[in-house]
Amino acid sequence: MFADVTAPGADVQSLWRSARSARCEAKSCQTGKISTAEAAAQSHTAQDAAVQTEQSKDSVQNVQQEVQVDYTGLLSFLQRVEDSVIKELNKNWKSHAFDGFEVNWTDQDETVLCLHTLSYPEAQAQNLQVTSVSWNVTGSVIACSYGRLDDGDWSTEKSYVCTWNLDRRGLNPQHPDLVVDVPSSVMCLAFHPSQPSLIAGGLFSGELVVWDTSRTEDPVVWRTGMTDDTHTDPVYQVNWLPEKHRNDPRLLSVSTDGKILVWREERDGQLALAEGFAIVAQQIPRSTRLKKMAWGEAAVGVTSLSFSHFDPGVFIVGVEGGYSLRCSTAAQTPALPHPGGSVPLRAPAEFAFSSHAGPVYSVSCSPFHRNLFLSCGTDGQIHLHSMLQTQPLFALQLSKKYLFCVRWSPVRPLVFAAASGEGEVHLFDLGRSMQKPTVSLKQSVSDCPVYCLEFNTKHTRLLAAGDAAGTVRVWQLSSDFTEQGPREMNHLEQLASEIMD
């Protein structure tokens, strides 16, 4: 009934496609083809021209032809305005409108950076402190001494003197270039002013030692030894004196035994006493007299000293009683009673200034003014003094704790730095403010006291500071603290003279 059948297919042609093809030129778009062309300008034709308008040929002039000048008219004009021009020039010459203005074509650096943090791990392991820092004459080597400045008898404690060359390519902040072992605590250091390898140090035992850093085997070249002339108290400052003869280096040392001693070199490596001074109670106010067993009641302990930069025979000392004293190397008055020794001691004090409320730890004479000096001490105050009057020009309460060191800048008359017991280094610019520091630098995170600081006289942007944690930080100062203004000296003179009146 049902069977597979294959029927032929039906084919119906579409009329819609043929009609649409007839109406459209292209099947891929709904609109006709658009003709396009590229052009670099809106106009069909273009030409180059150096001017906005066309230049006519007849307007071209010969630029090479000589310019005609009416010299007679020019002379007449200059004669007419001569008086007025001279009058205005004189007025400008007398004007002070631009006083203090200085053009600086270099970029100003406003920040103070810590370039290096130097330390000797072995000294830190013994809880030793940085007691002094000193730059050598080239300005590239820094030395520090390790010892103790706080309570305790450290006379038998081993200590060190370390040096770093900051220009060395392989500088290791925790590996000094030279380490000198010292059997007694080193309290102070001073590089020789012209020989870069000589360092003088004062010890807790009262001795003075001179090391030659170029001798690695045995760097000790001179020492005082323990004699009747040697200090009986720790040496808190040592200075090289200007050489009177070429090979005649002399050292000056100060101590809390009241003596200021000058030493000369001997052939056998010994330092011999050349002359000496003593600060005695008879020369200063009674309130500064402190009892010393060795001298009875005569001696007053000396803690710091600074020579005048204008008169090498004048120096300022700070004493334990809180006073600063102006002294002279030309003094001939004997210091009585005579304590014994190979050289009679003289009493150099000539003038006493009003005191701090505690011992004076540091004094610094101005390199730019013959009569100005700074002092600081345990009362946390900085005094600016004139050598011509007893009262300070101003007193600034900087710290609630001790101030251990103050130094004038060697390049800026109005700038100085101070080291505080709160772990800060304060930079002052008296041209900006006389009431507060311009910048306060945090020496360490542990607030350890900063005991010492020194400006670098060669690389004037460097300032070194040592602290109780046993580290030395080398700070790079901004240009604000190293570039002297045009009227800065006048400001310093005015500061001294106006307050004195």
Side-chain angles (χ1 to χ4, degrees):
M1 182 176 178
F2 296 97
D4 293 334
V5 177
T6 301
D11 188 9
V12 180
Q13 187 174 2
S14 173
L15 299 177
W16 176 81
R17 290 182 180 277
S18 60
R20 182 175 179 273
S21 299
R23 292 194 307 269
C24 299
E25 296 180 1
K27 298 180 181 179
S28 60
C29 61
Q30 297 181 3
T31 61
K33 185 177 180 179
I34 300 175
S35 300
T36 60
E38 294 184 359
Q42 295 182 0
S43 61
H44 295 288
T45 61
Q47 66 179 8
D48 293 333
V51 294
Q52 296 181 359
T53 58
E54 297 293 337
Q55 187 175 19
S56 61
K57 294 181 180 181
D58 56 355
S59 64
V60 179
Q61 299 180 355
N62 184 7
V63 296
Q64 300 295 332
Q65 67 182 2
E66 183 179 357
V67 178
Q68 299 296 325
V69 179
D70 183 7
Y71 289 101
T72 304
L74 177 61
L75 178 61
S76 175
F77 167 75
L78 293 177
Q79 289 175 341
R80 288 198 312 271
V81 301
E82 179 182 6
D83 292 340
S84 299
V85 172
I86 292 177
K87 180 179 178 181
E88 293 301 322
L89 289 175
N90 287 333
K91 186 186 299 184
N92 291 341
W93 178 68
K94 297 178 181 179
S95 172
H96 296 284
F98 293 96
D99 286 355
F101 177 76
E102 182 181 12
V103 178
N104 189 353
W105 301 109
T106 60
D107 294 334
Q108 291 290 320
D109 184 3
E110 301 291 341
T111 59
V112 180
L113 303 175
C114 179
L115 290 185
H116 306 285
T117 300
L118 311 174
S119 63
Y120 183 44
E122 188 170 339
Q124 291 179 307
Q126 300 179 34
N127 294 322
L128 296 181
Q129 305 161 341
V130 177
T131 57
S132 181
V133 291
S134 181
W135 296 96
N136 79 341
V137 65
T138 67
S140 60
V141 177
I142 184 171
C144 78
S145 59
Y146 282 97
R148 299 288 294 188
L149 289 179
D150 53 9
D151 296 335
D153 183 4
W154 297 93
S155 59
T156 59
E157 182 77 24
K158 179 182 178 181
S159 64
Y160 310 93
V161 172
C162 300
T163 67
W164 289 266
N165 187 339
L166 301 186
D167 292 339
R168 186 184 298 275
R169 179 174 298 179
L171 174 67
N172 187 339
Q174 294 189 340
H175 190 276
D177 298 324
L178 176 70
V179 177
V180 179
D181 293 342
V182 187
S184 178
S185 179
V186 184
M187 311 305 292
C188 55
L189 279 183
F191 263 111
H192 193 280
S194 61
Q195 300 183 41
S197 63
L198 292 185
I199 312 177
L203 308 185
F204 187 92
S205 62
E207 293 182 86
L208 262 70
V209 183
V210 178
W211 299 280
D212 187 346
T213 59
S214 64
R215 296 170 47 173
T216 56
E217 294 296 330
D218 183 14
V220 177
V221 288
W222 302 307
R223 66 188 315 155
T224 58
M226 297 302 293
T227 67
D228 291 339
D229 292 328
T230 309
H231 290 289
T232 56
D233 276 13
V235 178
Y236 281 104
Q237 191 164 337
V238 59
N239 292 69
W240 291 91
L241 298 181
E243 299 179 8
K244 296 181 180 179
H245 305 288
R246 183 166 185 176
N247 293 319
D248 183 28
R250 294 200 170 197
L251 276 171
L252 180 141
S253 59
V254 301
S255 170
T256 48
D257 63 1
K259 300 176 186 177
I260 304 169
L261 305 179
V262 179
W263 305 86
R264 68 173 184 270
E265 173 196 353
E266 291 289 317
R267 294 181 180 179
D268 56 356
Q270 293 292 312
L271 290 172
L273 185 62
E275 58 180 327
F277 306 91
I279 304 298
V280 292
Q282 288 82 354
Q283 289 189 309
I284 56 179
R286 292 180 180 273
S287 58
T288 66
R289 300 184 185 180
L290 302 179
K291 293 186 178 181
K292 291 287 181 180
M293 296 304 294
W295 289 46
E297 296 184 0
V300 176
V302 181
T303 53
S304 55
L305 180 145
S306 179
F307 273 91
S308 168
H309 294 267
F310 296 86
D311 187 348
V314 174
F315 59 95
I316 302 293
V317 298
V319 300
E320 287 181 325
Y323 281 74
S324 299
L325 306 173
R326 188 184 69 206
C327 303
S328 173
T329 58
Q332 298 299 325
T333 305
L336 299 175
H338 184 58
S342 62
V343 175
L345 304 181
R346 308 194 301 273
E350 295 181 336
F351 194 78
F353 303 94
S354 61
S355 69
H356 288 262
V360 176
Y361 276 157
S362 182
V363 291
S364 179
C365 290
S366 170
F368 296 94
H369 197 289
R370 66 181 309 113
N371 293 325
L372 293 181
F373 72 92
L374 294 164
S375 64
C376 69
T378 58
D379 58 359
Q381 291 189 0
I382 290 179
H383 289 185
L384 174 63
H385 273 285
S386 167
M387 295 188 188
L388 304 179
Q389 65 180 35
T390 57
Q391 296 299 318
L393 302 180
F394 76 82
L396 175 65
Q397 185 70 46
L398 182 61
S399 173
K400 296 179 181 179
K401 296 184 179 180
Y402 295 177
L403 292 179
F404 290 98
C405 189
V406 64
R407 291 289 184 269
W408 282 103
S409 165
V411 292
R412 282 282 314 274
L414 296 175
V415 169
F416 63 89
S420 79
E422 295 169 321
E424 291 183 318
V425 175
H426 301 286
L427 290 169
F428 281 84
D429 185 347
L430 297 180
R432 293 188 179 186
S433 174
M434 296 176 59
Q435 303 300 325
K436 61 181 181 179
T438 305
V439 174
S440 294
L441 307 173
K442 197 68 176 176
Q443 175 81 4
S444 64
V445 294
S446 57
D447 296 336
C448 292
V450 183
Y451 285 143
C452 51
L453 53 84
E454 289 292 342
F455 285 94
N456 192 321
T457 57
K458 294 295 182 182
H459 305 293
T460 55
R461 297 190 66 175
L462 299 184
L463 170 68
D467 57 43
T471 61
V472 176
R473 287 186 182 265
V474 178
W475 300 93
Q476 179 177 276
L477 305 180
S478 65
S479 54
D480 288 345
F481 294 104
T482 57
E483 295 181 3
Q484 184 178 153
R487 296 180 61 83
E488 194 162 341
M489 282 300 301
N490 293 340
H491 192 161
L492 189 69
E493 292 283 355
Q494 184 178 9
L495 175 67
S497 60
E498 284 187 355
I499 304 181
M500 286 168 56
D501 294 339

